[in-house]
Amino acid sequence: MKKQFYLGLIVFMSVSGFSIPGFAQPVFNKVLGSFTGVSNSQSAWVDFDNDNDLDLIYTGLTKTYVPSTFVYENDNGVFTLRATTLPAINWGSFAVGDYDKDGDSDILITGSTSFSTDDRISAIFRNEGGFVFTEQYSFQGLAEASADWLDIDNDEDLDFIITGFSENNFNSYTTLVYENTGSGFVKLTGTGLPDCSS
């Protein structure tokens, strides 16, 4: 979900409660950490390193108008920014899923890579472990984009859909669906889905 405000990231932990009969009133403490605020953003909790706690990824535009993608490792409640090769985006989207069935979370990402030019990207990055992500597949870049994994053909692997503007105008609505063949991705035609953006 996109949020049109600067994200001063707050991680909440329920501590105690009172009063309302049958319900505990949660009290939240802010987890210490230094997080860069962004707009036009998306965020998600993901256990990227399979250590049974949730790491954090978010994207968006900084207050100096720089597209950004941030990944923080959670180590027992302490969040550390990790350097990755993931593209910096804004007016975009990402989706997390294990497309190659190797037991970790890969990333489908799409969106604008510049605030001032028409550059855009759509790509799949494979999780190699240790917060290393390598680009495996590249597709038509979109802006004002959305992305999601789904098993469209019920064959127990992840296909995906992306939507957005393919050009720098409001008449270039695009919806693209790709089937996971096990050895790559094939664009499907004739799906009957309307072209749209996020």
Side-chain angles (χ1 to χ4, degrees):
M1 179 180 294
K2 291 187 178 179
K3 302 173 180 62
Q4 304 302 320
F5 55 84
Y6 284 103
L7 174 68
L9 187 71
I10 300 177
V11 181
F12 296 108
M13 179 174 63
S14 179
V15 178
S16 62
F18 72 92
S19 118
I20 300 176
F23 296 92
Q25 177 67 42
V27 176
F28 298 98
N29 287 339
K30 182 178 179 180
V31 174
L32 295 178
S34 177
F35 303 96
T36 301
V38 293
S39 63
N40 308 326
S41 62
Q42 179 184 354
S43 61
W45 294 107
V46 186
D47 186 6
F48 282 122
D49 51 359
N50 289 333
D51 63 350
N52 296 315
D53 58 20
L54 291 175
D55 311 301
L56 174 68
I57 178 173
Y58 66 97
T59 63
L61 195 68
T62 69
K63 64 182 179 181
T64 55
Y65 304 104
V66 177
S68 301
T69 295
F70 297 101
V71 176
Y72 284 83
E73 179 183 4
N74 178 359
D75 184 10
N76 294 318
V78 177
F79 289 85
T80 302
L81 179 63
R82 299 299 301 262
T84 75
T85 57
L86 293 172
I89 65 165
N90 72 296
W91 295 114
S93 179
F94 63 87
V96 177
D98 186 11
Y99 81 90
D100 53 1
K101 299 182 181 180
D102 66 348
D104 55 22
S105 296
D106 311 301
I107 301 174
L108 165 66
I109 191 165
T110 181
S112 299
T113 57
S114 172
F115 180 73
S116 58
T117 70
D118 197 29
D119 297 330
R120 57 197 72 195
I121 192 172
S122 297
I124 292 173
F125 284 77
R126 186 176 186 269
N127 186 345
E128 306 288 0
F131 293 89
V132 175
F133 301 91
T134 57
E135 183 176 334
Q136 297 296 304
Y137 303 99
S138 180
F139 310 95
Q140 181 177 357
L142 301 176
E144 292 277 356
S146 293
D148 206 0
W149 296 105
L150 69 163
D151 184 7
I152 199 167
D153 50 1
N154 291 324
D155 64 349
E156 300 184 352
D157 59 19
L158 290 177
D159 315 299
F160 72 88
I161 182 171
I162 52 176
T163 66
F165 292 126
S166 60
E167 300 175 13
N168 193 23
N169 64 70
F170 292 104
N171 296 316
S172 62
Y173 295 111
T174 303
T175 295
L176 302 173
V177 180
Y178 286 83
E179 178 187 358
N180 184 345
T181 65
S183 58
F185 289 85
V186 175
K187 184 168 70 172
L188 300 182
T189 59
T191 63
L193 294 172
D195 290 326
C196 59
S197 68
S198 63

